[in-house]
């Protein structure tokens, strides 16, 4: 009976260690978008709204297929956005634009969202607003060439 308990204990411990190895460490990334103080011509970050989504596109074709790193969030989902107090804002360790691009480039942008939780923070009338964003996966653009064979007119 004792040996059976020891065998079960060993199996239980080995299965727990195997499960622990599967858990990934997820890194949290904060980036401050300062669109109020940066002149429009000097911005490397383009922001816009497309339907329910707001996007932040970094103007560098540095991902796979020469894609720009583009972060989005759904404006209709209130759980993606929250106000930050000034005390909480001072405690945040922000990443630089260079570091953000480097993180997005690590595997061409394919698995950024499974390794990182990203927040973009921007100043609002009421203070600072934090948006939980996702990096869009780079899409391969397929270009096709359409052509038509035109026969010459033969006039005799």
């Amino acid at each position: 009976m004792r040996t059976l308990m020891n065998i079960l204990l060993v199996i239980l411990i080995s299965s727990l260690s195997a499960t622990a190895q599967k858990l990934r460490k997820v890194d949290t990334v904060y980036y401050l978008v300062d669109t109020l103080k940066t002149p429009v011509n000097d911005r490397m970050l383009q922001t816009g709204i497309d339907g329910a989504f707001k996007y932040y596109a970094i103007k560098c074709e540095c991902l796979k297929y020469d894609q720009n790193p583009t972060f989005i969030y759904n404006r209709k989902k209130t759980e993606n956005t929250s106000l930050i107090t000034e005390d909480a804002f001072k405690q945040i360790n922000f990443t630089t634009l260079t570091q953000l691009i480097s993180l997005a480039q690590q595997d061409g942008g394919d698995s950024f969202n499974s390794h990182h939780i990203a927040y973009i923070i921007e100043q609002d009338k009421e203070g600072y607003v934090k948006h939980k964003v996702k990096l869009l996966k780079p899409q391969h653009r397929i270009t096709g060439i359409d052509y038509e064979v035109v026969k010459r007119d033969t006039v005799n």
Side-chain angles (χ1 to χ4, degrees):
M1 182 72 176
R2 192 170 208 186
T3 55
L4 179 63
M5 291 297 282
N6 286 337
I7 292 173
L8 288 175
L9 184 64
V10 169
I11 292 173
L12 178 66
I13 290 172
S14 65
S15 67
L16 287 177
S17 67
T19 306
Q21 290 175 359
K22 292 179 186 177
L23 298 176
R24 283 188 231 144
K25 182 182 176 205
V26 178
D27 186 27
T28 304
V29 178
Y30 295 95
Y31 180 70
L32 177 64
V33 175
D34 195 3
T35 54
L36 296 179
K37 295 179 184 172
T38 308
V40 176
N41 293 337
D42 293 340
R43 291 183 190 162
M44 195 170 165
L45 196 78
Q46 176 185 1
T47 62
I49 296 174
D50 189 4
F53 295 94
K54 182 165 185 180
Y55 65 88
Y56 303 87
I58 301 171
K59 295 180 185 176
C60 81
E61 296 176 346
C62 48
L63 294 184
K64 279 193 318 189
Y65 315 121
D66 296 327
Q67 297 288 310
N68 295 331
T70 303
F71 296 89
I72 65 165
Y73 75 94
N74 190 338
R75 297 180 309 130
K76 293 184 178 180
K77 291 188 177 181
T78 56
E79 66 267 11
N80 290 336
T81 302
S82 62
L83 286 173
I84 300 176
T85 64
E86 196 157 327
D87 292 335
F89 178 79
K90 290 177 183 176
Q91 294 178 357
I92 294 174
N93 185 16
F94 290 104
T95 186
T96 64
L97 185 61
T98 308
Q99 291 169 333
L100 185 62
I101 291 170
S102 177
L103 290 172
Q105 284 178 319
Q106 283 181 353
D107 66 348
D110 284 334
S111 68
F112 178 89
N113 296 324
S114 59
H115 295 292
H116 305 284
I117 298 172
Y119 292 96
I120 288 187
I121 298 173
E122 57 186 343
Q123 195 167 6
D124 197 2
K125 298 169 192 162
E126 303 158 7
Y128 290 95
V129 181
K130 177 175 77 171
H131 307 288
K132 186 176 181 181
V133 295
K134 298 272 186 190
L135 177 68
L136 289 178
K137 284 190 175 187
Q139 300 295 317
H140 182 67
R141 295 182 199 156
I142 299 175
T143 55
I145 301 173
D146 292 336
Y147 65 93
E148 181 179 346
V149 177
V150 179
K151 294 183 180 181
R152 282 183 150 177
D153 287 338
T154 54
V155 179
N156 289 340

